[in-house]
Amino acid sequence: MAGSRSDAPVVIAVAITGSVPRKADNPAVPVTVAEQIESTHRAFEAGATLCHIHVRNDDETPSSDPDRFAAVQEGLRRHCPGMIVQFSTGGRGRDPASRGLSLQHRPDMASLSTGSVNFPTIVYENSASLVSDLAGQMKQHGVRPEIEIFDLSHLHGAKRLVDAGLIDARPHVQFVMGVQNAMPAEEHLLDILLAETKRILPDATWTAAGIGRYQAVVMDWALTRGADAVRTGLEDNIRVTKDRLAASNAELVGLAAEAVSRHGRRVATPAEARAALGLA
Ligand code: MG
């Protein structure tokens, strides 16, 4: 896999805003379009080259409004030159039929979950037909997917999309570990996932996301194994330590950049990030 070149520069992905309501304990999560652009700009200056985006309605619930996605994208293209824009097509709080609406705005990438899984309080439902439909829309609009792997079977879901010609044979995959009721954050599970990826998707690029208190440790495991990218941001984790909240997405990106250096690698530029993930 591409990640076995362990001297390659590392893409830092920042997931700026998730689906969890902003409460008193996570005031740094950007919610309005203006806050999202400002927060991403600071994260970009700290070394992030890929921005994973969820948008919110005025009442801060998750939104599928394509205009909001477009507004964030426009701000990022203006203020963060070259940064990879990735829209979420994820499901929390969103109607399945609306999850692909933002793809018409042709972001560089979009997340694509290739199977269903239990989340803390809901079933994250991704039927085979919805997955194929979203992959088809991404292909139609020239949007590169990031395959979200919440379970081993999701790798095989990605392979089925390759075999069906809906995605190319060099997908970018992200292993998500530490979501309550889904895949635990266990180092040996990452090895199992990587071994299976190498077997069925040998040209894939990859990254891993640790949720909550697992963010830093999963990043270390990924860097140890030559990951092409690391993922951070307030969507996944709001704390620097058990006792201290992160002040911003930029602070978390700074910690990721330090981790990259500790592993003897360097942070990718936007052009390097695009080349690494197969984007123009
Ligand atoms: Mg997300």
Side-chain angles (χ1 to χ4, degrees):
M1 291 184 282
S4 56
R5 271 178 58 226
S6 63
D7 58 336
V10 180
V11 179
I12 298 180
V14 62
I16 54 168
T17 307
S19 310
V20 178
R22 176 164 62 177
K23 298 189 289 267
D25 72 343
N26 55 356
V29 175
V31 169
T32 67
V33 168
E35 287 169 354
Q36 290 188 301
I37 294 167
E38 166 66 19
S39 183
T40 307
H41 184 224
R42 291 172 54 211
F44 177 73
E45 291 187 323
T49 46
L50 187 160
C51 183
H52 172 81
I53 301 164
H54 293 250
V55 295
R56 301 287 187 88
N57 297 308
D58 288 338
D59 65 359
E60 301 199 4
T61 56
S63 173
S64 294
D65 181 356
D67 293 344
R68 290 199 182 229
F69 279 99
V72 178
Q73 174 167 256
E74 192 187 321
L76 265 51
R77 288 196 173 149
R78 182 173 311 137
H79 297 289
C80 311
M83 191 177 208
I84 297 167
V85 173
Q86 182 188 90
F87 290 169
S88 172
T89 66
R92 271 166 281 192
R94 296 166 69 185
D95 167 20
S98 71
R99 283 167 48 183
L101 284 178
S102 66
L103 298 170
Q104 64 185 284
H105 292 299
R106 299 176 179 269
D108 298 297
M109 300 184 83
S111 58
L112 177 63
S113 297
T114 49
S116 303
V117 66
N118 281 329
F119 271 2
T121 58
I122 61 162
V123 177
Y124 179 30
E125 219 177 300
N126 294 288
S127 69
S129 60
L130 175 66
V131 173
S132 297
D133 182 57
L134 285 170
Q137 291 183 55
M138 290 182 199
K139 183 177 181 181
Q140 179 197 338
H141 292 296
V143 177
R144 191 159 169 71
E146 174 182 275
I147 308 295
E148 307 301 332
I149 306 293
F150 291 91
D151 187 61
L152 182 65
S153 64
H154 299 179
L155 267 179
H156 288 267
K159 176 70 162 68
R160 284 194 295 277
L161 295 177
V162 171
D163 293 344
L166 286 169
I167 61 175
D168 71 44
R170 188 180 176 266
H172 181 55
V173 304
Q174 172 160 264
F175 308 111
V176 186
M177 310 187 97
V179 177
Q180 189 192 348
N181 302 326
M183 196 155 55
E186 298 276 357
E187 190 167 12
H188 72 280
L189 293 182
L190 182 57
D191 288 324
I192 291 170
L193 291 163
L194 285 170
E196 190 65 355
T197 304
K198 191 168 187 177
R199 195 176 73 82
I200 65 172
L201 298 167
D203 296 321
T205 54
W206 70 277
T207 181
I211 303 305
R213 63 198 165 97
Y214 302 109
Q215 186 166 68
V217 71
V218 170
M219 194 179 294
D220 268 324
W221 299 339
L223 287 166
T224 297
R225 290 161 176 78
D228 300 280
V230 292
R231 156 126 161 187
T232 190
L234 292 166
E235 171 174 351
D236 298 351
N237 169 43
I238 59 170
R239 294 180 184 283
V240 172
T241 64
K242 185 165 63 73
D243 303 313
R244 189 164 80 74
L245 292 172
S248 63
N249 279 302
E251 181 178 19
L252 292 173
V253 170
L255 294 172
E258 285 174 24
V260 168
S261 298
R262 267 202 313 279
H263 284 268
R265 296 176 65 186
R266 68 181 175 81
V267 174
T269 64
E272 288 169 339
R274 284 175 178 273
L277 302 189
L279 294 158

